[in-house]
Amino acid sequence: MKRLSFPAILLLAGCAATPPAACPLPGMRSMLDIHLMFGLTRPDQSRISEAEWDRFLAATITPAFPDGLSVLTAEGQWRDRRSDVIGREASRLVRIVTPPDAGLAGKIEAIRAAYKAQFAQQSVGLVIERGCADF
């Protein structure tokens, strides 16, 4: 996965600083929609197994966001900036919808750092959007 240019802490700070818009339906409230992108190929081209992914999800992501999240199977694609070659790899997309809070940036960065260290990854992609949700 390619590294994003915006540090998560700055992105989260910007989201938290943006005044919440009125949500269109009763019962909805302002939330952050967090997308984390995890590549499943190590630098030596070996694959991170389903069991390894499941253990990481259970031990690292779920405890940080016990109220719920979604995991989608994906195929990542990007252009290598040095070689200009299109790369592809099996991936997991984790989507978390949560209210903004002061500890959120630390939780997200801890997950990203743990995955990079445990599986020798260059990066874990991150996108955060503000929206309205009701569960």
Side-chain angles (χ1 to χ4, degrees):
M1 306 302 296
K2 297 308 289 178
R3 184 173 186 85
L4 299 178
S5 60
F6 296 103
I9 294 170
L10 294 177
L11 190 54
L12 283 170
C15 286
T18 304
C23 291
L25 298 175
M28 296 187 93
R29 61 186 176 144
S30 181
M31 302 280 246
L32 295 178
D33 188 359
I34 301 163
H35 301 251
L36 291 161
M37 295 162 267
F38 300 89
L40 297 176
T41 305
R42 292 180 177 92
D44 67 3
Q45 300 307 302
S46 65
R47 172 120 184 205
I48 296 163
S49 72
E50 290 298 319
E52 289 173 308
W53 166 256
D54 289 344
R55 282 190 298 272
F56 183 81
L57 178 65
T60 307
I61 302 174
T62 300
F65 295 97
D67 290 340
L69 52 89
S70 297
V71 178
L72 297 106
T73 300
E75 186 69 25
Q77 177 174 307
W78 69 94
R79 180 174 32 209
D80 185 287
R81 291 181 184 156
R82 284 178 258 156
S83 68
D84 209 33
V85 172
I86 301 294
R88 294 177 181 86
E89 73 178 302
S91 305
R92 291 293 179 271
L93 175 64
V94 174
R95 186 173 185 187
I96 303 161
V97 178
T98 186
D101 70 56
L104 192 57
K107 290 180 192 177
I108 292 170
E109 285 309 304
I111 291 167
R112 295 173 79 200
Y115 194 79
K116 290 188 284 187
Q118 186 171 339
F119 299 111
Q121 298 293 295
Q122 289 182 336
S123 67
V124 171
L126 172 64
V127 175
I128 301 173
E129 299 174 303
R130 181 176 286 283
C132 294
D134 181 29
F135 294 98

